[in-house]
Amino acid sequence: AQSVSQHNHHVILSEAASLELGCNYSYGGTVNLFWYVQYPGQHLQLLLKYFSGDPLVKGIKGFEAEFIKSKFSFNLRKPSVQWSDTAEYFCAVYNSGTYKYIFGTGTRLKVLA
Amino acid sequence: GAVVSQHPSWVICKSGTSVKIECRSLDFQATTMFWYRQFPKQSLMLMATSNEGSKATYEQGVEKDKFLINHASLTLSTLTVTSAHPEDSSFYICSARTQTTGSLNTGELFFGEGSRLTVL
């Protein structure tokens, strides 16, 4: 069965620290990959997405993610986090064959001012 | 960006009653909406895919008669939790997908605010 794994459930960083959140998926076919973010009290919203082309994707607020097909990974990175990045981050895979999205369990990030 | 509105944002009800949650796409037409359930510290679990004008497609293990989904128009889908019990208490989230021109296979999801249901 298709699945998405996020290895870090809770991450605590100080401001200006670098961030990398892991995401691995299990599916051999064509996938579209997403990172969604949920700020406290707000909707889930799109951070960035990968459909094809350059495997290094840049998103909003200085975030980027790299798709490594051989590793089935789509890790999220940010060189210098801010207090306002405190949120929960979800990796998601869209299977265009089944028209379904599968979400990871989420990573709760807390940035200390 | 596209806006999806969900109502109510939270509801408390007695065991045995039914609760309806609405999901509206405010500035776009959503032929497909998704209903998710989120348990504490867990991921979003897809419950069903709602298609306008047709029956919803339920995921394995989701009771169709328990969670009634209606998608009567291109901007509204409803989830009704029938004869709710305490174990139905959860956070329910809807989302809608836009269709990019020329492709049915891509499109980000736009999420509602979520509805927290507490069944006493």
Side-chain angles (χ1 to χ4, degrees):
Chain A
Q2 192 172 355
S3 65
V4 177
S5 299
Q6 290 182 242
H7 319 296
N8 318 99
H9 298 294
H10 289 92
V11 174
I12 301 176
L13 295 173
S14 298
E15 274 195 316
S18 64
L19 170 73
E20 180 159 3
L21 301 182
C23 173
N24 286 87
Y25 65 94
S26 64
Y27 179 67
T30 301
V31 292
N32 297 328
L33 300 160
F34 302 82
W35 275 96
Y36 286 89
V37 59
Q38 187 172 28
Y39 297 103
Q42 296 187 28
H43 307 203
L44 275 159
Q45 57 188 280
L46 182 69
L47 202 55
L48 47 78
K49 59 187 176 185
Y50 172 79
F51 291 159
S52 63
D54 188 344
L56 185 61
V57 180
K58 296 200 183 293
I60 60 171
K61 303 185 180 184
F63 286 91
E64 65 179 31
E66 185 175 12
F67 169 54
I68 303 179
K69 190 174 181 179
S70 61
K71 295 184 178 180
F72 297 92
S73 71
F74 190 55
N75 293 354
L76 180 71
R77 299 194 293 250
K78 185 171 184 178
S80 176
V81 294
Q82 299 173 311
W83 177 81
S84 57
D85 293 323
T86 295
E88 188 156 16
Y89 294 81
F90 292 91
C91 180
V93 171
Y94 175 62
N95 182 333
S96 57
T98 63
Y99 303 104
K100 289 183 180 179
Y101 292 83
I102 306 294
F103 284 82
T105 50
T107 297
R108 200 174 291 271
L109 171 67
K110 185 177 179 65
V111 180
L112 304 175
Chain B
V3 178
V4 174
S5 177
Q6 208 172 320
H7 178 80
S9 54
W10 59 273
V11 58
I12 301 172
C13 69
K14 292 182 179 180
S15 186
T17 60
S18 294
V19 175
K20 181 187 282 188
I21 300 170
E22 293 187 346
C23 179
R24 293 181 185 274
S25 56
L26 297 185
D27 50 3
F28 67 102
Q29 292 182 333
T31 53
T32 304
M33 289 185 173
F34 302 90
W35 286 95
Y36 292 87
R37 185 173 177 176
Q38 187 178 25
F39 294 98
K41 299 183 181 180
Q42 294 188 32
S43 184
L44 285 75
M45 182 194 79
L46 180 63
M47 298 175 64
T49 301
S50 168
N51 294 297
E52 186 267 337
S54 64
K55 291 183 179 180
T57 303
Y58 289 81
E59 294 302 299
Q60 194 172 10
V62 178
E63 298 177 60
K64 300 178 183 181
D65 296 331
K66 175 75 165 175
F67 299 99
L68 300 179
I69 291 173
N70 182 275
H71 195 156
S73 78
L74 287 171
T75 60
L76 174 64
S77 176
T78 61
L79 167 68
T80 302
V81 183
T82 62
S83 187
H85 291 283
E87 58 264 29
D88 298 324
S89 298
S90 192
F91 194 57
Y92 295 89
I93 304 173
C94 75
S95 69
R97 185 182 68 207
T98 60
Q99 292 181 354
T100 56
T101 302
S103 171
L104 288 174
N105 292 334
T106 63
E108 68 183 86
L109 288 177
F110 295 92
F111 289 86
E113 306 94 323
S115 300
R116 185 165 299 283
L117 170 63
T118 301
V119 185
L120 304 176

